[in-house]
Amino acid sequence: MPGNTIGHLFRLTSFGESHGAAIGGVVDGCPAGLELDLDAVQCELDRRRPGSTPLGTARDEADRVEWLSGLITPVIDPALRLRSGQAITLGTPIAFLIRNADAKPSEYDALKDVYRPGHADKTWEDKYGLRDHRGGGRSSARTTAASVVGGAIARQLLTREGVQVHACVLSVGEVIAKRITDVPDLESVWNNAVRCADPEAVLRMTELIERVRAEGDSIGGVVSCFVRGLPAGLGEPVFDKLDADLAKAMLSINAVKGFQIGMGFHASTMRGSEHNKSFQGGVLGGISNGEEIHFDVAFKPPSTIAQAQQTTDRSGNAVTLEAKGRHDPCVVPRAVPIVEAMTCLVLADHLLRQRSARV
Amino acid sequence: MPGNTIGHLFRLTSFGESHGAAIGGVVDGCPAGLELDLDAVQCELDRRRPGSTPLGTARDEADRVEWLSGLITPVIDPALRLRSGQAITLGTPIAFLIRNADAKPSEYDALKDVYRPGHADKTWEDKYGLRDHRGGGRSSARTTAASVVGGAIARQLLTREGVQVHACVLSVGEVIAKRITDVPDLESVWNNAVRCADPEAVLRMTELIERVRAEGDSIGGVVSCFVRGLPAGLGEPVFDKLDADLAKAMLSINAVKGFQIGMGFHASTMRGSEHNKSFQGGVLGGISNGEEIHFDVAFKPPSTIAQAQQTTDRSGNAVTLEAKGRHDPCVVPRAVPIVEAMTCLVLADHLLRQRSARV
Amino acid sequence: MPGNTIGHLFRLTSFGESHGAAIGGVVDGCPAGLELDLDAVQCELDRRRPGSTPLGTARDEADRVEWLSGLITPVIDPALRLRSGQAITLGTPIAFLIRNADAKPSEYDALKDVYRPGHADKTWEDKYGLRDHRGGGRSSARTTAASVVGGAIARQLLTREGVQVHACVLSVGEVIAKRITDVPDLESVWNNAVRCADPEAVLRMTELIERVRAEGDSIGGVVSCFVRGLPAGLGEPVFDKLDADLAKAMLSINAVKGFQIGMGFHASTMRGSEHNKSFQGGVLGGISNGEEIHFDVAFKPPSTIAQAQQTTDRSGNAVTLEAKGRHDPCVVPRAVPIVEAMTCLVLADHLLRQRSARV
Amino acid sequence: MPGNTIGHLFRLTSFGESHGAAIGGVVDGCPAGLELDLDAVQCELDRRRPGSTPLGTARDEADRVEWLSGLITPVIDPALRLRSGQAITLGTPIAFLIRNADAKPSEYDALKDVYRPGHADKTWEDKYGLRDHRGGGRSSARTTAASVVGGAIARQLLTREGVQVHACVLSVGEVIAKRITDVPDLESVWNNAVRCADPEAVLRMTELIERVRAEGDSIGGVVSCFVRGLPAGLGEPVFDKLDADLAKAMLSINAVKGFQIGMGFHASTMRGSEHNKSFQGGVLGGISNGEEIHFDVAFKPPSTIAQAQQTTDRSGNAVTLEAKGRHDPCVVPRAVPIVEAMTCLVLADHLLRQRSARV
């Protein structure tokens, strides 16, 4: 059974391979009558774009969203006096695509029969019997661009209800930022290459990432996400709890290895008398309590590094692999908008689900 | 939209309040022709049962599974020569219930208008406008008994395919067991009250739990889960990745606050050159790679403690609450079979989903 | 993938074999705060019960609904001053069961290896490799009792919104009632054994059914269903159109062979200039238009007849079969409440789905 | 909750408005490793295309399928020696689009505030509060082009399993073809403008359609569909019966008002002794029995006619409407490939669902 759809009432179906014709998606279930700022959606995508931070990969994609359906635009009904870049949702599926302009498939010919260490090359073949080897095909993090567009639409629905979703980098390797307990200041986060809210940590993180890059290595990190303004009552126990769905959405992001909410793993060391008084993470019994939501997402270091590595090929032979493609030494700065997008998708879905909770 | 069903092809729909007539569930999608050992299912439930460990709550429930449908039993077709306690699945829904024999609703009258600290009393009311206040109603961990039965059926399907699922306690409070790197030895786990595979840690954990109980307090902990024998290829990217579905299933368990797989949060501090050589957790790119799967689940300390606590009632008045009911000082020993059950439910579903992956 | 759940937001999961321990279901997604008249639910079930019409089978089942969860009853919270037989929905799954009191499995021993003509005995084995042969197992129309209970809950949600759903018999064999164009008068329908709104036709239908029964034969018929008070805007094009979901729900009823809405098959013979002025069936483009909805459902004659019939057994041998069990000469009178129930299930689901259509 | 996805394991998500940028879809769940003949898919679409029959509308669309993802094409892996127009499915979502080349939105300006009789203009607004008025927006039958592409992919999966799906016109208005009892001969069907298998009826149908067109009117008709080679065992009682899902798929097609299988409505007039010996339609108890499947689909006459009609506008004023756009006097010839496509989508889904029926 296919797994490329997320959400029930507000749902995104994602498609596309890293080096195919295009990636994209279909948002079905976005309520009709929502004024969409399409430029703001593009803006979110730009934040995820390779090249949006000097610490990222050199792959250069314009990544322009092309809208295919589901919208009333200024040209359709001039009487609505929409400005350019503005649209109104029709309640029908909103389809969009992003062309893979910078696809250089031939660069990947050498990888056709080789399984890169730490990558999903072999598991993908284990599953389907074949794969698109170019740039990881559909296992590439490039597919998250579709999630970012879907999440940006979800965000505009949430904004209308007064919900804010913001993430920032908490740690890079051993460098940990001062924990903030509130939605981070956007300016301070987006004006630095690391996307961390602690200026002092930014310096050390930047230095670490540059050093790791110079060594041809990579490094992991943690992204924190904050939600403010979410109404109490969201979440569907016993299986579709709000935090359960957030955990799933986060673990679906490439390279994520851990999720914690509220006191998280630290809670396992606490006494009840102490924990009852501490921050619960904004969710109790799987349902939002109206307070700020806060959770952390752990990213492993990127598997592609500029060092010779031992691996195997399709025939089981040992192979020495030296990565040539373009890659990030650390994904967490670019992961920030992806964490936000997946969060928005989950929250928009639960916002609509809650509409059926009472007579 | 309701959230009481888990799984797509192998699916459990759960029902029941802690102190209503019964809890139970319907397993739909269990393939026909599976020989079920009903005694083994009861056995799994017994392991979760209050009273199964001397460290648990005093609530005493016989918790006998009553089977309602979906099975061919010895009496239906004697020619099949099934022994008592054995059945064959029909491919139709397997419905079961567990009576709430020890329900003492009147004990909870005092809680009708009070929101217990750390509990889901208020969020449940935020969501639905009303709640069954008796023992937490459906927010009670008692509902996990239905999951354990569903998981026990799933396990028998997995066993047939050579898949083993075993969990054990990794830590209680600050007491951490020696990390094992393999499926724990069942005997050693089930023969001690803590359900930990490290005999030395068992002593210190037991001592800690007893001390916490004496103080009228509670304590958190971590459960580790191991899966062996799972075929490569399971998991449905990009959104229904195997680890994403495991994370969701774990976060749906009461009191869970964190999930990590493979190197987990520790991976965020590692270099790629190092991480590529380390244990990946049995999942790459969201798909099983045929190696052992290993993940950790963090539990907060139980919110119900035998100390006076400040809280509020429905009218917003401050109230001092002194818990009277029966409760666990530490849930992780009894959580072990629940973690296993939820894991089995996820794996059985993905096992069936994989049947459609190729022509 | 299992098919025992209907609906998305208001959903019924059905379980049970004709001669197993019980049949029943779980209604998940019924909004919280709905005052339920449990006696009225029982009443609906009584209308479907064998023996509710003198023209039906002799099987005698008390068919008492046993409620397991999801309800606040008078005993739980006396302050709510609910009367006996009254309850309030909690928003959690409402599970119920109906014991199979009159199950006489041994009567069916002779059928264990024989495929009854016109029945699903062989296809069920083709699908699952085995079956519960007693009274058709899960292929029995007895399973519709669970649908009737689910539908009766749905109806109470609909009634609250001013929606009325009523069906009656349009034809039995060649005897066709005068077409009514409005919701039938309940008294006139329920006070006759045929459940037809045309008193003159009732006489001829009764006479026909009695004659067919005397001949050891059976006869088909058509049930018409009327919905009044449904708000405009329900239905989810392009695939979950309101009439498409109604068609599916009707074809899921045992013995149904046809569905038509509005002018139905007759529309295929009409000119557009004529059809545009005629009754559209209450649905345009798959969405309700606020007018009365009207559709017809065709039932084949029951396959079980009291005549010797040629068939085959499991080994492919020719067998002469003489039915002994209890059976209806004509199902349409008892099908009336089932058609209503399935209609209510579909409408309640779409009523909730519509809540997400607009910002 | 959105309704633009059909199928569970083999699923099509459809998008697009009649006069927007494009229509298209995403097929998720097509098994990996299927050799796809893309030219054959285009061929199916050409059969649905306006202009494919001289009896259709004058709207001229090239309707070229553009493939976006999910396929290995010759250029990606030359070693596979695929010929041009051939591809292999990756198991990932297959996204495609069809540009709306001939969209002339300004033609529809006059309809912005008018509700066309028999059309879904008003119900669409009742639902969403707004609509894309151009050519009916998403209520247009143009959206079925996406279904035809999805169905054509499904057909290639079915062909591999030996399943054939063919439809033909049974009647136009009062002109009824000789009933055939077998899959129609393709040559004879596709070589005539009416797509009817009875040459004698073709003449009278053609004559009738031309006469109706000359009168500025339209006419309805019935399409019959035949499935041969389907394995026994498909269908998921009690709610997702094979015929129930077929009924739903057919009723989701624009202008469909009725569905019947086997003896259909005629069965309601039959005796059991007679019906048991007659053709059952290839489905018993909702499960395929391995015999040929046969069902009929009734289409109303197109609502758009070249005559002045009375209707209302958004403000409730009476308006006289004279249709200018391009339209079919009779949809059934062009509906034939759509009926086939929807049938293929249902069957492919159930083919995969059956893979989980047994251990």
Side-chain angles (χ1 to χ4, degrees):
Chain A
M1 187 188 183
N4 295 287
T5 298
I6 187 167
H8 296 269
L9 302 202
F10 189 104
R11 59 165 60 161
L12 169 68
T13 298
S14 161
F15 65 81
E17 278 72 42
S18 177
H19 289 69
I23 60 167
V26 182
V27 171
D28 200 9
C30 185
L34 178 67
E35 278 190 30
L36 267 192
D37 182 337
L38 303 180
D39 296 338
V41 174
Q42 181 65 51
C43 224
E44 299 252 12
L45 190 60
D46 292 344
R47 288 164 53 192
R48 193 215 73 100
R49 197 168 62 83
S52 68
T53 149
L55 300 173
T57 160
R59 177 170 179 176
D60 190 21
E61 293 276 9
D63 277 0
R64 297 296 306 175
V65 186
E66 183 183 343
W67 301 97
L68 299 174
S69 66
L71 302 174
I72 290 207
T73 52
V75 72
I76 299 180
D77 189 348
L80 293 171
R81 297 178 172 280
L82 298 167
R83 59 166 177 73
S84 161
Q86 202 184 12
I88 297 180
T89 58
L90 281 165
T92 60
I94 305 169
F96 60 89
L97 61 82
I98 305 159
R99 299 275 169 192
N100 289 323
D102 191 37
K104 296 184 185 158
S106 60
E107 278 191 6
Y108 290 93
D109 280 357
L111 293 172
K112 225 178 67 180
D113 299 309
V114 177
Y115 301 133
R116 294 167 299 161
H119 277 282
D121 298 341
K122 186 167 182 312
T123 54
W124 213 264
E125 275 195 29
D126 286 336
K127 181 170 195 66
Y128 295 116
L130 77 174
R131 66 183 166 110
D132 182 347
H133 65 282
R134 302 167 303 162
R138 186 145 178 79
S139 75
S140 165
R142 176 150 179 78
T143 61
T144 59
S147 303
V148 168
V149 173
I153 297 172
R155 189 198 291 272
Q156 297 195 29
L157 181 64
L158 293 165
T159 301
R160 211 175 167 282
E161 309 283 331
V163 186
Q164 283 177 282
V165 176
H166 292 300
C168 59
V169 169
L170 174 66
S171 69
V172 172
E174 303 281 6
V175 182
I176 304 174
K178 229 170 23 203
R179 255 211 187 272
I180 55 173
T181 55
D182 197 3
V183 173
D185 173 51
L186 278 190
E187 288 302 305
S188 69
V189 169
W190 288 106
N191 282 344
N192 70 72
V194 190
R195 287 158 186 180
C196 170
D198 171 358
E200 193 272 328
V202 166
L203 298 176
R204 289 186 295 139
M205 288 172 175
T206 308
E207 192 269 338
L208 174 58
I209 295 174
E210 293 296 4
R211 191 170 68 234
V212 163
R213 187 211 295 269
E215 291 165 3
D217 212 337
S218 65
I219 188 88
V222 173
V223 172
S224 288
C225 188
F226 302 80
V227 181
R228 185 193 275 171
L230 195 71
L234 270 55
E236 301 288 340
V238 294
F239 294 123
D240 294 351
K241 292 177 169 173
L242 189 61
D243 38 1
D245 271 347
L246 286 169
K248 175 171 174 168
M250 294 307 127
L251 265 291
S252 82
I253 302 174
N254 304 50
V256 169
K257 292 290 161 188
F259 170 90
Q260 60 183 5
I261 186 161
M263 291 290 134
F265 275 85
H266 182 57
S268 71
T269 66
M270 293 170 81
R271 304 273 173 121
S273 54
E274 177 192 7
H275 188 270
N276 283 352
K277 292 171 201 152
S278 69
F279 179 61
Q280 302 285 334
V283 178
L284 265 173
I287 301 172
S288 65
N289 64 2
E291 295 174 16
E292 190 171 294
I293 288 179
H294 174 207
F295 56 86
D296 300 321
V297 188
F299 288 80
K300 70 171 188 181
S303 300
T304 302
I305 54 177
Q307 299 178 0
Q309 292 188 89
Q310 297 309 311
T311 187
T312 56
D313 67 11
R314 214 177 236 159
S315 322
N317 303 318
V319 175
T320 301
L321 187 73
E322 223 156 324
K324 290 223 189 68
R326 300 145 297 186
H327 54 88
D328 286 329
C330 180
V331 293
V332 289
R334 283 181 59 210
V336 167
I338 303 169
V339 165
E340 292 181 1
M342 295 307 297
T343 303
C344 290
L345 286 168
V346 168
L347 297 181
D349 192 40
H350 277 279
L351 203 69
L352 296 182
R353 290 175 78 167
Q354 175 61 6
R355 292 188 182 181
S356 304
R358 303 188 188 190
V359 286
Chain B
M1 186 188 184
N4 294 286
T5 298
I6 187 167
H8 296 267
L9 302 202
F10 189 104
R11 57 164 62 161
L12 169 68
T13 298
S14 162
F15 65 80
E17 278 72 41
S18 177
H19 288 69
I23 58 165
V26 181
V27 170
D28 200 8
C30 184
L34 179 67
E35 278 190 31
L36 266 192
D37 182 338
L38 303 179
D39 296 338
V41 174
Q42 181 64 50
C43 224
E44 300 252 12
L45 190 59
D46 293 344
R47 288 164 54 191
R48 193 215 73 99
R49 196 168 61 83
S52 68
T53 149
L55 301 173
T57 161
R59 177 169 179 177
D60 190 22
E61 292 277 9
D63 277 1
R64 297 296 306 175
V65 186
E66 184 183 341
W67 302 97
L68 298 175
S69 66
L71 301 174
I72 289 206
T73 52
V75 73
I76 297 178
D77 189 349
L80 292 172
R81 298 178 170 281
L82 297 167
R83 60 168 176 70
S84 161
Q86 202 184 11
I88 298 180
T89 57
L90 281 165
T92 59
I94 304 169
F96 60 89
L97 61 80
I98 304 159
R99 297 275 170 194
N100 290 323
D102 191 36
K104 297 183 184 161
S106 60
E107 279 191 5
Y108 293 93
D109 279 357
L111 293 172
K112 226 179 66 179
D113 299 310
V114 177
Y115 302 133
R116 295 166 298 162
H119 277 282
D121 297 341
K122 186 167 184 310
T123 54
W124 214 265
E125 275 195 31
D126 286 337
K127 180 169 196 66
Y128 295 115
L130 79 174
R131 66 184 166 110
D132 183 347
H133 64 281
R134 303 168 303 161
R138 187 148 177 78
S139 75
S140 164
R142 175 148 181 78
T143 60
T144 58
S147 303
V148 168
V149 173
I153 297 172
R155 189 199 289 275
Q156 296 195 29
L157 181 65
L158 293 166
T159 302
R160 211 177 168 281
E161 309 282 331
V163 186
Q164 283 176 281
V165 175
H166 292 300
C168 60
V169 168
L170 175 67
S171 69
V172 172
E174 302 282 7
V175 182
I176 303 174
K178 229 170 25 207
R179 254 210 189 270
I180 55 173
T181 54
D182 196 4
V183 172
D185 174 51
L186 278 190
E187 288 302 304
S188 67
V189 170
W190 288 104
N191 282 346
N192 70 71
V194 190
R195 290 167 182 172
C196 168
D198 171 359
E200 193 272 331
V202 166
L203 298 176
R204 290 187 293 138
M205 288 172 175
T206 307
E207 192 270 338
L208 174 58
I209 294 173
E210 292 297 2
R211 192 170 67 235
V212 163
R213 186 210 297 270
E215 291 165 3
D217 212 336
S218 65
I219 187 88
V222 173
V223 173
S224 288
C225 189
F226 301 81
V227 181
R228 183 193 275 171
L230 194 73
L234 270 57
E236 302 287 340
V238 296
F239 295 124
D240 294 351
K241 291 177 171 174
L242 189 61
D243 38 1
D245 271 347
L246 286 169
K248 173 171 176 172
M250 295 307 126
L251 266 290
S252 82
I253 302 173
N254 304 52
V256 170
K257 290 292 161 186
F259 170 90
Q260 60 183 4
I261 188 162
M263 292 290 133
F265 276 85
H266 182 58
S268 71
T269 67
M270 293 170 81
R271 305 274 172 118
S273 53
E274 179 191 6
H275 189 269
N276 283 353
K277 292 172 200 151
S278 69
F279 179 60
Q280 303 285 333
V283 178
L284 266 173
I287 301 172
S288 65
N289 64 3
E291 295 174 17
E292 191 170 295
I293 289 179
H294 175 208
F295 57 85
D296 300 322
V297 188
F299 289 80
K300 72 172 186 180
S303 300
T304 302
I305 55 178
Q307 300 179 358
Q309 295 187 91
Q310 298 307 313
T311 187
T312 56
D313 67 10
R314 216 177 235 159
S315 320
N317 302 319
V319 175
T320 301
L321 188 74
E322 221 155 326
K324 289 223 189 69
R326 300 145 298 186
H327 52 87
D328 287 329
C330 179
V331 294
V332 287
R334 282 181 59 209
V336 167
I338 303 169
V339 165
E340 292 181 2
M342 296 306 297
T343 303
C344 289
L345 286 168
V346 169
L347 297 181
D349 192 41
H350 276 279
L351 203 69
L352 296 181
R353 291 175 78 167
Q354 176 61 8
R355 292 189 183 180
S356 303
R358 302 190 189 187
V359 286
Chain C
M1 187 188 184
N4 295 285
T5 298
I6 187 166
H8 297 267
L9 303 202
F10 189 103
R11 59 163 62 161
L12 169 68
T13 298
S14 162
F15 64 82
E17 278 72 42
S18 176
H19 288 71
I23 59 166
V26 182
V27 171
D28 200 9
C30 184
L34 178 67
E35 278 189 33
L36 267 192
D37 182 338
L38 302 180
D39 296 338
V41 174
Q42 181 66 51
C43 224
E44 300 251 13
L45 190 59
D46 292 345
R47 288 164 54 191
R48 193 216 73 100
R49 196 168 61 84
S52 69
T53 150
L55 300 173
T57 160
R59 178 171 178 176
D60 190 22
E61 293 275 9
D63 277 0
R64 297 296 307 173
V65 186
E66 185 183 340
W67 301 97
L68 299 174
S69 66
L71 302 174
I72 290 207
T73 52
V75 74
I76 298 179
D77 189 349
L80 293 172
R81 296 176 173 281
L82 298 167
R83 61 169 175 70
S84 161
Q86 203 185 11
I88 299 180
T89 58
L90 281 165
T92 60
I94 304 169
F96 61 89
L97 60 81
I98 304 159
R99 297 276 170 193
N100 289 323
D102 191 35
K104 296 184 184 160
S106 61
E107 280 190 5
Y108 292 93
D109 280 357
L111 293 172
K112 226 178 68 179
D113 299 310
V114 177
Y115 302 132
R116 294 168 298 162
H119 277 282
D121 298 341
K122 187 169 183 308
T123 54
W124 213 265
E125 274 195 32
D126 286 337
K127 181 170 195 66
Y128 295 116
L130 78 173
R131 66 185 166 110
D132 183 346
H133 65 282
R134 302 167 304 161
R138 188 148 177 77
S139 75
S140 165
R142 176 150 179 76
T143 60
T144 58
S147 303
V148 168
V149 174
I153 298 173
R155 189 198 291 273
Q156 297 196 29
L157 181 65
L158 293 166
T159 301
R160 212 177 168 281
E161 308 283 331
V163 186
Q164 282 177 282
V165 176
H166 292 301
C168 60
V169 169
L170 174 67
S171 69
V172 172
E174 302 282 7
V175 182
I176 304 174
K178 230 170 22 204
R179 257 217 185 267
I180 55 173
T181 54
D182 197 4
V183 173
D185 173 50
L186 278 189
E187 288 302 304
S188 69
V189 169
W190 288 105
N191 281 345
N192 70 72
V194 190
R195 289 160 185 178
C196 170
D198 170 359
E200 193 271 331
V202 166
L203 299 176
R204 290 187 294 139
M205 288 172 176
T206 307
E207 192 268 338
L208 174 58
I209 295 174
E210 293 296 3
R211 192 170 68 234
V212 163
R213 188 212 295 269
E215 292 165 1
D217 212 336
S218 65
I219 188 89
V222 173
V223 173
S224 288
C225 189
F226 302 80
V227 181
R228 183 193 275 170
L230 194 73
L234 271 56
E236 302 287 340
V238 295
F239 295 123
D240 295 352
K241 291 178 170 173
L242 189 61
D243 39 0
D245 271 348
L246 287 169
K248 174 171 175 171
M250 294 309 126
L251 265 289
S252 82
I253 301 174
N254 303 51
V256 170
K257 291 291 161 187
F259 170 90
Q260 62 182 3
I261 188 162
M263 291 291 133
F265 275 85
H266 182 58
S268 71
T269 66
M270 293 169 81
R271 304 272 172 122
S273 53
E274 177 191 9
H275 188 269
N276 282 354
K277 291 170 200 153
S278 69
F279 179 59
Q280 303 285 334
V283 178
L284 266 174
I287 301 173
S288 65
N289 64 3
E291 295 174 17
E292 189 170 295
I293 288 179
H294 174 208
F295 56 86
D296 300 322
V297 189
F299 289 80
K300 71 172 187 181
S303 300
T304 302
I305 55 177
Q307 300 178 357
Q309 294 187 88
Q310 298 308 312
T311 186
T312 55
D313 67 10
R314 215 177 235 159
S315 320
N317 302 319
V319 176
T320 301
L321 188 73
E322 223 156 324
K324 290 221 189 71
R326 301 146 299 188
H327 53 89
D328 286 329
C330 180
V331 294
V332 289
R334 284 181 59 210
V336 167
I338 304 169
V339 165
E340 291 180 3
M342 296 305 299
T343 303
C344 289
L345 286 168
V346 169
L347 297 182
D349 192 40
H350 276 278
L351 203 69
L352 296 180
R353 291 175 77 167
Q354 176 61 5
R355 292 189 182 180
S356 303
R358 303 190 189 188
V359 287
Chain D
M1 186 188 185
N4 295 286
T5 298
I6 187 168
H8 297 267
L9 302 203
F10 189 104
R11 59 164 60 161
L12 169 68
T13 298
S14 162
F15 64 81
E17 277 73 42
S18 177
H19 289 70
I23 59 165
V26 182
V27 171
D28 200 8
C30 185
L34 178 67
E35 278 189 31
L36 266 192
D37 182 337
L38 304 180
D39 296 339
V41 174
Q42 181 65 51
C43 223
E44 300 252 10
L45 190 59
D46 292 344
R47 288 164 54 192
R48 193 214 73 99
R49 197 167 62 81
S52 70
T53 148
L55 301 173
T57 162
R59 178 170 178 177
D60 190 23
E61 291 277 10
D63 276 0
R64 296 298 305 175
V65 186
E66 184 183 341
W67 301 97
L68 299 174
S69 66
L71 302 175
I72 290 206
T73 52
V75 72
I76 298 178
D77 189 348
L80 293 172
R81 297 177 170 282
L82 297 167
R83 60 169 176 71
S84 161
Q86 202 185 13
I88 298 179
T89 57
L90 281 165
T92 60
I94 304 170
F96 60 89
L97 61 81
I98 303 159
R99 297 276 170 192
N100 289 324
D102 191 36
K104 296 184 185 160
S106 59
E107 279 191 6
Y108 292 93
D109 279 357
L111 293 172
K112 226 178 67 179
D113 299 310
V114 177
Y115 302 132
R116 295 166 298 162
H119 277 281
D121 298 341
K122 185 166 183 314
T123 55
W124 214 265
E125 274 194 32
D126 286 337
K127 180 170 196 66
Y128 294 116
L130 78 173
R131 65 182 166 112
D132 182 348
H133 64 283
R134 302 168 303 161
R138 186 146 178 80
S139 75
S140 164
R142 175 149 180 77
T143 61
T144 58
S147 303
V148 168
V149 173
I153 297 173
R155 188 198 291 273
Q156 297 196 27
L157 181 64
L158 292 166
T159 301
R160 212 177 166 280
E161 309 282 330
V163 186
Q164 283 177 280
V165 176
H166 292 300
C168 60
V169 168
L170 175 66
S171 69
V172 172
E174 302 280 7
V175 182
I176 304 175
K178 226 168 29 202
R179 255 213 188 270
I180 54 172
T181 55
D182 196 5
V183 172
D185 174 51
L186 278 190
E187 288 302 305
S188 69
V189 170
W190 288 104
N191 281 346
N192 70 73
V194 190
R195 287 161 187 177
C196 170
D198 171 359
E200 192 272 331
V202 166
L203 298 175
R204 290 185 295 139
M205 290 172 175
T206 307
E207 191 270 340
L208 174 58
I209 294 173
E210 293 297 2
R211 192 170 67 234
V212 163
R213 186 210 297 270
E215 292 165 3
D217 212 336
S218 64
I219 187 90
V222 173
V223 173
S224 287
C225 188
F226 301 80
V227 181
R228 183 193 275 170
L230 195 72
L234 269 57
E236 303 285 339
V238 294
F239 294 124
D240 294 351
K241 291 177 171 173
L242 189 61
D243 37 2
D245 272 347
L246 286 168
K248 174 170 175 171
M250 294 309 125
L251 266 291
S252 82
I253 302 174
N254 304 50
V256 170
K257 291 292 161 185
F259 170 90
Q260 61 182 3
I261 187 162
M263 291 291 133
F265 275 85
H266 182 57
S268 72
T269 66
M270 293 169 82
R271 304 273 171 118
S273 53
E274 178 192 5
H275 189 269
N276 283 353
K277 292 172 200 150
S278 69
F279 180 59
Q280 303 286 334
V283 178
L284 265 173
I287 301 174
S288 64
N289 64 2
E291 295 173 18
E292 190 170 295
I293 288 178
H294 174 207
F295 57 86
D296 299 323
V297 189
F299 288 80
K300 71 172 186 180
S303 299
T304 303
I305 54 177
Q307 301 178 358
Q309 294 187 91
Q310 296 309 312
T311 186
T312 57
D313 68 11
R314 216 177 235 160
S315 320
N317 302 319
V319 175
T320 300
L321 187 72
E322 222 156 325
K324 290 224 189 68
R326 300 147 297 188
H327 53 88
D328 286 329
C330 179
V331 294
V332 288
R334 283 180 59 209
V336 167
I338 303 169
V339 165
E340 292 181 2
M342 295 307 296
T343 303
C344 289
L345 286 167
V346 169
L347 297 181
D349 192 39
H350 276 279
L351 203 70
L352 296 181
R353 291 175 78 166
Q354 176 61 6
R355 292 188 183 181
S356 303
R358 304 189 188 188
V359 285

